[in-house]
Amino acid sequence: MAVDYTVIVVYLAGMLAMGWWGMRRAKSKSDFLVAGRRLGPTMYSGTMAAIVLGGASTIGGVGLGYQYGLSGAWMVFTIGLGLLALSLFFSARIARLKVYTVSEMLDLRYGGRAGVISGLVMWAYTLMLAVTSTIAYATIFDVLFDMNRTVAIVLGGSIVVAYSTLGGMWSITLTDMVQFVVKTIGVLLLLLPIAVVKAGGFSEMKAQLPTEYFDPLGIGGETIFTYVLIYTFGMLIGQDIWQRVFTAGSDRTAKWGGTVAGTYCLVYALAGAVIGTAAKVLYPKLTSPDDAFATIVKDELPMGVRGLVLAAALAAVMSTSSGALIACATVANNDIWSRLRGAVRKEGPEGADHDEVKGNRVFILVMGIAVICTAIAIDNVVEALTVAYNLLVGGLLVPILGGLLWKRGTAQGALAAVAVGGLAVVGLMAGYGILANEPVYYGLLASLAVYVIVSLATPATDAAVLAAWRERLAGRGSGPAAELKEESVTR
């Protein structure tokens, strides 16, 4: 394993080096939180694909392939569909808003009264997303070094917190590009063909496994529908995803770069399912489907290649973890802390802007420590991730999409939808169970009903607010002066 260890150590050291290099570019709030809003198509596509394809998509996607065959691709496939929908229909308008958080978008659309409550819901979602990614380090480091779970979480989490704190979104963007390349080589170009060959090829796989393993709908229609509801719609509204949209240098980059990333996700989904199906042929009696990835990597790959593929798994986890962490810190600082203390968020002179970079660094560090501690305390990754997405979709989907698509929606309707949808989801999870489908179904319906009824029963949004909103959507609004000046110089 010495060669494999060397590959992993070099990879981790490279992540820290990228963080240090990114720190030199993070000179303003815009640089630190959204990479100066100037990423080109190649870097935007790579980093967007990296953040949405995390440990759940890699280790979990292979596990679903092991359990259900080719239909196990549906979870990651619906993530790709969500990213395609976001990119083709909404990303250009989102990028033109020139905001930093989803809650700021809601404030612009509804007149400044939806921020704190929506910020709390989004903060809970991003925190749990970061926690679930951090927990995954334990699985990978256990395969690599037979390491204690707590030590593995602290080690992996500390590396992500370090490079994220140093350079913010610039460091995360640079590391994500490396992680995207490593994942592509490790999973698509190496593990996929090797796994199929080791299993005897597709003809042998079909001979060894039941026919339902090759049924595209074998996982079940209800499960597919739930995946669409949670993951496809979740891609449309998550702060971690929107914050990457904000990094696009142009509308075209946001639209077509995201489309390329979404298409890549569809390919990655099928690859994970095929690898899991091959693992079922090779190891038919694994204790847990989630062990399939680590087992096939450990037992079937040659020296050096094994280290690269495990680095790919680390890359998948780190990209999602760092993206969720900066999103969590951004929401905590911009949408909760600054509002609670009554600060007026304005770009000031260069010194004040530099102070904001320091403040955001502190929030990333504090949130990172909180994420590591929470990850140590929680055992069930699936339950934590389900709670996160149920809160996100049940509480925020309706007011966000309603604000983008329905001009009659009001602030009162949005606030009611967030409160009722969020509380309904929590209450129904307590009654039906965290992993049940009913909480998100009924919570979403309750949120929609309340949004429509309250919006129609209250005065329409002020015409001046809607006019300003339309100006921002068209890219003609007056964003922060310093940021606009910086962008005009950069472009």
Side-chain angles (χ1 to χ4, degrees), residues 62 66 195 199 205 274-284 286 292-293 296:
V62 172
Y66 182 90
M205 290 162 62
V274 171
I275 293 167
T277 305
K280 183 67 175 179
V281 174
L282 295 168
Y283 311 99
L286 290 179
F293 180 88
I296 197 170

Side-chain angles (χ1 to χ4, degrees), residues 36-38 98 246-251 486-491:
R37 305 189 196 272
R38 56 179 183 263
K98 295 293 187 291
F246 300 151
T247 66
S250 67
D251 294 356
E486 176 190 24
E487 288 180 353
S488 65
V489 171
T490 302
R491 295 178 189 173

